[in-house]
mmCIF file of all heavy atoms in Angstrom:
data_model
loop_
_atom_site.group_PDB
_atom_site.id
_atom_site.type_symbol
_atom_site.label_atom_id
_atom_site.label_comp_id
_atom_site.label_asym_id
_atom_site.label_seq_id
_atom_site.Cartn_x
_atom_site.Cartn_y
_atom_site.Cartn_z
ATOM 1 N N PHE A 142 52.333 0.400 -16.094
ATOM 2 C CA PHE A 142 52.783 1.494 -15.233
ATOM 3 C C PHE A 142 52.924 2.792 -16.016
ATOM 4 O O PHE A 142 52.569 3.867 -15.527
ATOM 5 C CB PHE A 142 54.123 1.151 -14.567
ATOM 6 C CG PHE A 142 54.807 2.363 -13.999
ATOM 7 C CD1 PHE A 142 54.298 2.994 -12.877
ATOM 8 C CD2 PHE A 142 55.929 2.905 -14.627
ATOM 9 C CE1 PHE A 142 54.910 4.136 -12.369
ATOM 10 C CE2 PHE A 142 56.535 4.050 -14.126
ATOM 11 C CZ PHE A 142 56.033 4.661 -12.994
ATOM 12 N N PHE A 143 53.430 2.711 -17.228
ATOM 13 C CA PHE A 143 53.699 3.928 -17.992
ATOM 14 C C PHE A 143 52.419 4.561 -18.551
ATOM 15 O O PHE A 143 52.468 5.674 -19.056
ATOM 16 C CB PHE A 143 54.693 3.643 -19.107
ATOM 17 C CG PHE A 143 56.083 3.378 -18.601
ATOM 18 C CD1 PHE A 143 56.575 2.080 -18.522
ATOM 19 C CD2 PHE A 143 56.883 4.410 -18.168
ATOM 20 C CE1 PHE A 143 57.841 1.832 -18.040
ATOM 21 C CE2 PHE A 143 58.159 4.176 -17.681
ATOM 22 C CZ PHE A 143 58.641 2.876 -17.615
ATOM 23 N N ILE A 144 51.310 3.868 -18.446
ATOM 24 C CA ILE A 144 50.033 4.505 -18.792
ATOM 25 C C ILE A 144 49.672 5.530 -17.717
ATOM 26 O O ILE A 144 49.282 6.658 -18.018
ATOM 27 C CB ILE A 144 48.908 3.460 -18.946
ATOM 28 C CG1 ILE A 144 49.219 2.468 -20.070
ATOM 29 C CG2 ILE A 144 47.573 4.160 -19.190
ATOM 30 C CD1 ILE A 144 49.303 3.085 -21.461
ATOM 31 N N ILE A 145 49.829 5.158 -16.444
ATOM 32 C CA ILE A 145 49.537 6.117 -15.369
ATOM 33 C C ILE A 145 50.753 7.001 -15.086
ATOM 34 O O ILE A 145 50.615 8.173 -14.787
ATOM 35 C CB ILE A 145 49.049 5.416 -14.094
ATOM 36 C CG1 ILE A 145 50.126 4.482 -13.514
ATOM 37 C CG2 ILE A 145 47.784 4.635 -14.352
ATOM 38 C CD1 ILE A 145 49.769 3.920 -12.146
ATOM 39 N N ASN A 146 51.941 6.415 -15.153
ATOM 40 C CA ASN A 146 53.214 7.149 -15.074
ATOM 41 C C ASN A 146 53.335 7.988 -13.799
ATOM 42 O O ASN A 146 53.839 9.114 -13.823
ATOM 43 C CB ASN A 146 53.389 8.032 -16.314
ATOM 44 C CG ASN A 146 54.854 8.248 -16.669
ATOM 45 O OD1 ASN A 146 55.711 7.443 -16.346
ATOM 46 N ND2 ASN A 146 55.129 9.351 -17.343
ATOM 47 N N LYS A 147 52.871 7.416 -12.705
ATOM 48 C CA LYS A 147 52.998 8.048 -11.391
ATOM 49 C C LYS A 147 53.524 7.006 -10.416
ATOM 50 O O LYS A 147 53.383 5.801 -10.666
ATOM 51 C CB LYS A 147 51.630 8.573 -10.906
ATOM 52 C CG LYS A 147 51.029 9.670 -11.770
ATOM 53 C CD LYS A 147 49.652 10.073 -11.250
ATOM 54 C CE LYS A 147 49.030 11.155 -12.121
ATOM 55 N NZ LYS A 147 47.672 11.521 -11.647
ATOM 56 N N PRO A 148 54.146 7.422 -9.316
ATOM 57 C CA PRO A 148 54.644 6.436 -8.352
ATOM 58 C C PRO A 148 53.556 5.420 -8.010
ATOM 59 O O PRO A 148 52.415 5.789 -7.737
ATOM 60 C CB PRO A 148 55.031 7.291 -7.136
ATOM 61 C CG PRO A 148 55.361 8.626 -7.725
ATOM 62 C CD PRO A 148 54.400 8.813 -8.866
ATOM 63 N N ALA A 149 53.937 4.133 -8.034
ATOM 64 C CA ALA A 149 52.921 3.104 -7.851
ATOM 65 C C ALA A 149 53.522 1.859 -7.216
ATOM 66 O O ALA A 149 54.667 1.479 -7.501
ATOM 67 C CB ALA A 149 52.280 2.739 -9.191
ATOM 68 N N PHE A 150 52.734 1.235 -6.366
ATOM 69 C CA PHE A 150 53.047 -0.084 -5.830
ATOM 70 C C PHE A 150 52.512 -1.109 -6.824
ATOM 71 O O PHE A 150 51.351 -1.040 -7.235
ATOM 72 C CB PHE A 150 52.378 -0.269 -4.468
ATOM 73 C CG PHE A 150 52.516 -1.647 -3.888
ATOM 74 C CD1 PHE A 150 53.737 -2.083 -3.395
ATOM 75 C CD2 PHE A 150 51.434 -2.501 -3.820
ATOM 76 C CE1 PHE A 150 53.873 -3.353 -2.851
ATOM 77 C CE2 PHE A 150 51.547 -3.767 -3.278
ATOM 78 C CZ PHE A 150 52.777 -4.196 -2.787
ATOM 79 N N ALA A 151 53.364 -2.041 -7.229
ATOM 80 C CA ALA A 151 52.984 -3.022 -8.249
ATOM 81 C C ALA A 151 53.093 -4.429 -7.682
ATOM 82 O O ALA A 151 54.017 -4.745 -6.928
ATOM 83 C CB ALA A 151 53.877 -2.886 -9.480
ATOM 84 N N LYS A 152 52.150 -5.266 -8.068
ATOM 85 C CA LYS A 152 52.205 -6.676 -7.683
ATOM 86 C C LYS A 152 51.759 -7.526 -8.858
ATOM 87 O O LYS A 152 51.598 -7.026 -9.973
ATOM 88 C CB LYS A 152 51.349 -6.922 -6.439
ATOM 89 C CG LYS A 152 49.884 -6.514 -6.567
ATOM 90 C CD LYS A 152 49.158 -6.717 -5.244
ATOM 91 C CE LYS A 152 47.673 -6.342 -5.377
ATOM 92 N NZ LYS A 152 46.941 -6.540 -4.102
ATOM 93 N N GLY A 153 51.542 -8.833 -8.622
ATOM 94 C CA GLY A 153 51.322 -9.741 -9.749
ATOM 95 C C GLY A 153 52.625 -9.876 -10.515
ATOM 96 O O GLY A 153 53.701 -10.068 -9.935
ATOM 97 N N ARG A 154 52.569 -9.744 -11.844
ATOM 98 C CA ARG A 154 53.790 -9.715 -12.664
ATOM 99 C C ARG A 154 54.362 -8.302 -12.750
ATOM 100 O O ARG A 154 55.367 -8.090 -13.419
ATOM 101 C CB ARG A 154 53.480 -10.227 -14.076
ATOM 102 C CG ARG A 154 53.126 -11.695 -14.156
ATOM 103 C CD ARG A 154 52.917 -12.149 -15.595
ATOM 104 N NE ARG A 154 51.721 -11.580 -16.179
ATOM 105 C CZ ARG A 154 51.708 -10.737 -17.212
ATOM 106 N NH1 ARG A 154 52.845 -10.354 -17.767
ATOM 107 N NH2 ARG A 154 50.579 -10.276 -17.691
ATOM 108 N N GLY A 155 53.699 -7.372 -12.061
ATOM 109 C CA GLY A 155 54.063 -5.972 -12.133
ATOM 110 C C GLY A 155 52.981 -5.139 -12.782
ATOM 111 O O GLY A 155 53.086 -3.918 -12.855
ATOM 112 N N GLU A 156 51.919 -5.820 -13.227
ATOM 113 C CA GLU A 156 50.848 -5.144 -13.962
ATOM 114 C C GLU A 156 49.698 -4.667 -13.070
ATOM 115 O O GLU A 156 48.867 -3.867 -13.504
ATOM 116 C CB GLU A 156 50.308 -6.056 -15.074
ATOM 117 C CG GLU A 156 49.265 -7.092 -14.656
ATOM 118 C CD GLU A 156 49.790 -8.283 -13.876
ATOM 119 O OE1 GLU A 156 50.995 -8.296 -13.521
ATOM 120 O OE2 GLU A 156 49.006 -9.211 -13.603
ATOM 121 N N LYS A 157 49.636 -5.154 -11.819
ATOM 122 C CA LYS A 157 48.585 -4.725 -10.901
ATOM 123 C C LYS A 157 49.106 -3.541 -10.103
ATOM 124 O O LYS A 157 50.054 -3.683 -9.314
ATOM 125 C CB LYS A 157 48.187 -5.876 -9.978
ATOM 126 C CG LYS A 157 47.604 -7.075 -10.728
ATOM 127 C CD LYS A 157 47.279 -8.215 -9.785
ATOM 128 C CE LYS A 157 46.713 -9.419 -10.541
ATOM 129 N NZ LYS A 157 46.439 -10.563 -9.622
ATOM 130 N N LEU A 158 48.495 -2.395 -10.300
ATOM 131 C CA LEU A 158 49.071 -1.148 -9.817
ATOM 132 C C LEU A 158 48.178 -0.435 -8.800
ATOM 133 O O LEU A 158 46.959 -0.444 -8.924
ATOM 134 C CB LEU A 158 49.325 -0.205 -10.997
ATOM 135 C CG LEU A 158 50.261 -0.735 -12.086
ATOM 136 C CD1 LEU A 158 50.177 0.144 -13.324
ATOM 137 C CD2 LEU A 158 51.690 -0.800 -11.574
ATOM 138 N N GLU A 159 48.836 0.179 -7.833
ATOM 139 C CA GLU A 159 48.155 1.019 -6.854
ATOM 140 C C GLU A 159 48.977 2.308 -6.715
ATOM 141 O O GLU A 159 50.137 2.261 -6.306
ATOM 142 C CB GLU A 159 48.067 0.296 -5.511
ATOM 143 C CG GLU A 159 47.455 1.115 -4.394
ATOM 144 C CD GLU A 159 47.545 0.410 -3.054
ATOM 145 O OE1 GLU A 159 47.698 -0.828 -3.023
ATOM 146 O OE2 GLU A 159 47.474 1.114 -2.027
ATOM 147 N N GLU A 160 48.380 3.426 -7.073
ATOM 148 C CA GLU A 160 49.121 4.684 -7.000
ATOM 149 C C GLU A 160 49.504 5.002 -5.558
ATOM 150 O O GLU A 160 48.755 4.726 -4.624
ATOM 151 C CB GLU A 160 48.280 5.830 -7.580
ATOM 152 C CG GLU A 160 48.134 5.771 -9.093
ATOM 153 C CD GLU A 160 47.478 7.014 -9.660
ATOM 154 O OE1 GLU A 160 47.726 8.123 -9.118
ATOM 155 O OE2 GLU A 160 46.712 6.884 -10.623
ATOM 156 N N LEU A 161 50.702 5.590 -5.399
ATOM 157 C CA LEU A 161 51.216 5.936 -4.082
ATOM 158 C C LEU A 161 51.454 7.443 -3.977
ATOM 159 O O LEU A 161 51.802 8.088 -4.962
ATOM 160 C CB LEU A 161 52.551 5.221 -3.819
ATOM 161 C CG LEU A 161 52.553 3.707 -3.690
ATOM 162 C CD1 LEU A 161 53.989 3.226 -3.492
ATOM 163 C CD2 LEU A 161 51.684 3.256 -2.523
ATOM 164 N N GLU A 162 51.292 7.958 -2.774
ATOM 165 C CA GLU A 162 51.679 9.340 -2.500
ATOM 166 C C GLU A 162 53.158 9.321 -2.109
ATOM 167 O O GLU A 162 53.510 9.151 -0.949
ATOM 168 C CB GLU A 162 50.819 9.923 -1.379
ATOM 169 C CG GLU A 162 49.358 10.114 -1.742
ATOM 170 C CD GLU A 162 49.163 11.155 -2.833
ATOM 171 O OE1 GLU A 162 49.973 12.106 -2.890
ATOM 172 O OE2 GLU A 162 48.221 11.012 -3.631
ATOM 173 N N LEU A 163 54.016 9.436 -3.090
ATOM 174 C CA LEU A 163 55.456 9.381 -2.859
ATOM 175 C C LEU A 163 56.118 10.478 -3.669
ATOM 176 O O LEU A 163 56.125 10.434 -4.902
ATOM 177 C CB LEU A 163 56.001 8.007 -3.273
ATOM 178 C CG LEU A 163 57.509 7.792 -3.109
ATOM 179 C CD1 LEU A 163 57.919 7.928 -1.645
ATOM 180 C CD2 LEU A 163 57.906 6.422 -3.653
ATOM 181 N N ASP A 164 56.670 11.450 -2.988
ATOM 182 C CA ASP A 164 57.271 12.618 -3.643
ATOM 183 C C ASP A 164 58.744 12.704 -3.251
ATOM 184 O O ASP A 164 59.070 12.966 -2.091
ATOM 185 C CB ASP A 164 56.534 13.886 -3.230
ATOM 186 C CG ASP A 164 57.077 15.129 -3.923
ATOM 187 O OD1 ASP A 164 57.974 15.004 -4.784
ATOM 188 O OD2 ASP A 164 56.618 16.238 -3.596
ATOM 189 N N LEU A 165 59.619 12.465 -4.215
ATOM 190 C CA LEU A 165 61.062 12.534 -3.976
ATOM 191 C C LEU A 165 61.683 13.732 -4.695
ATOM 192 O O LEU A 165 62.871 13.736 -5.003
ATOM 193 C CB LEU A 165 61.732 11.229 -4.445
ATOM 194 C CG LEU A 165 61.274 9.956 -3.742
ATOM 195 C CD1 LEU A 165 61.976 8.739 -4.333
ATOM 196 C CD2 LEU A 165 61.521 10.038 -2.242
#
Side-chain angles (χ1 to χ4, degrees):
F142 164 71
F143 290 102
I144 299 296
I145 63 172
N146 209 25
K147 296 177 181 178
F150 174 72
K152 57 184 181 180
R154 292 184 291 116
E156 83 286 6
K157 298 178 181 178
L158 301 167
E159 176 187 339
E160 288 188 35
L161 293 178
E162 292 295 329
L163 179 61
D164 182 4
L165 299 178

